[in-house]
Amino acid sequence: MIDRDQVEWSNLQRQWLFDEADAREGQLKAVAAARQLVKANSSIVYEPVVADIDARNIEEHLEGVDLVVDATDNFETRYLLNDYCVDLGLPWVYGAAVGSYGLAFAILPGEGPCLRCVYPESPKGAQPTCETAGVLNTITGQVGFWQASLAMKLLGGEKPASVLTTFDTWEGKTRQVAVERDAACPCCGARNFEFLDGRRRAPVSLCGRDAVQIHERQGRLDLAALEKELAGLGSAKRNEFALRFVPAEKVGGLALEVTIFPDGRAIIKGTTDPALARSVYARYVGR
Ligand SMILES: [Zn+2]
């Protein structure tokens, strides 16, 4: 289970693996999920990974898996998963939800369409997002259940049909639409894996949150050493997964909180301005 984020209060309405204590502590989602799941079934080995999947680390994190289930929140990461899985011939299950609407389908490289056969480019313009439209608490469950069914079929050796299933859990409507391979697909047709090529990622504003994620530097960070450096500049607390730093001074008039991960990534909370977040990163992390 790979996740880059911390549990937020606004997640609790639609997430069953987290509770109020997790939100209060800003617990890492992958860690909180594993702790809850092991209580339900301790005979399974859960491996929480706190990371932001990108072109630089996808191979390290997904090497040797049999199946990928997508529970991400952006097209850029899904296209990266699609590139990786098509390249290796690995099945994966796409799923998404916004408002009361959601959809899912199983992608079997070489047998049926890939994500870019269906969505060649990420939807542009005034699309509803989880920020503007919210997410109804029941739709994530409905999409997740169907993704889990597709995952079990695939692991059991069945090949689900190339069908996109859509749900509207407010209206109670379910539709299935056959989808086909596109011979002109840039990914599974031309095998042009542009998301896997390793272009640097820009800072991203995190959906539904007053926060920006920055991942500017290569290589691992020594969080213990950084904790010592930052201790004089504010409050710095570290555990095995992350370092949380609250600067003593306001930055740009804002009270910010910086969570720094060993892979060099940071989430700057309290702003949605990428330029400010970048300067905060440079000041406290990227020295
Ligand atoms: Zn394709």
Side-chain angles (χ1 to χ4, degrees), residues 82 86 112-118 180-190:
N82 192 58
V86 169
C114 79
L115 187 64
R116 293 193 77 188
C117 292
V118 181
E180 285 177 2
R181 255 187 107 167
D182 176 2
C185 174
C187 180
C188 71

Side-chain angles (χ1 to χ4, degrees), residues 128-230:
T129 67
C130 59
E131 221 157 339
T132 57
V135 183
L136 188 67
N137 53 357
T138 45
I139 187 62
T140 46
Q142 195 162 11
V143 170
F145 285 143
W146 181 235
Q147 285 184 278
S149 296
L150 291 170
M152 286 191 286
K153 281 175 191 249
L154 287 162
L155 290 174
E158 262 191 59
K159 289 181 179 166
S162 297
V163 164
L164 182 69
T165 306
T166 69
F167 305 96
D168 186 322
T169 195
W170 195 250
E171 300 300 333
K173 286 183 187 154
T174 301
R175 285 206 315 154
Q176 290 200 305
V177 184
V179 281
E180 285 177 2
R181 255 187 107 167
D182 176 2
C185 174
C187 180
C188 71
R191 298 187 72 80
N192 171 19
F193 302 123
E194 53 194 313
F195 293 87
L196 199 55
D197 279 348
R199 288 171 301 171
R200 293 286 289 271
R201 290 183 70 164
V204 284
S205 292
L206 298 171
C207 191
R209 294 178 43 187
D210 189 24
V212 177
Q213 173 179 277
I214 305 272
H215 196 166
E216 302 266 82
R217 52 183 283 165
Q218 307 278 349
R220 295 189 73 77
L221 272 175
D222 181 349
L223 290 190
L226 189 60
E227 183 185 21
K228 280 188 196 144
E229 280 182 49
L230 292 177

Side-chain angles (χ1 to χ4, degrees), residues 14-55:
R14 63 178 179 274
Q15 302 276 346
W16 306 346
L17 297 174
F18 314 137
D19 59 28
E20 291 191 353
D22 296 323
R24 203 174 298 121
E25 292 158 20
Q27 182 57 265
L28 296 157
K29 286 182 178 175
V31 175
R35 281 186 190 160
Q36 193 61 38
L37 286 167
V38 83
K39 285 187 209 165
N41 186 345
S42 61
S43 69
I44 294 172
V45 177
Y46 306 95
E47 192 185 334
V49 176
V50 180
D52 182 35
I53 284 283
D54 65 19

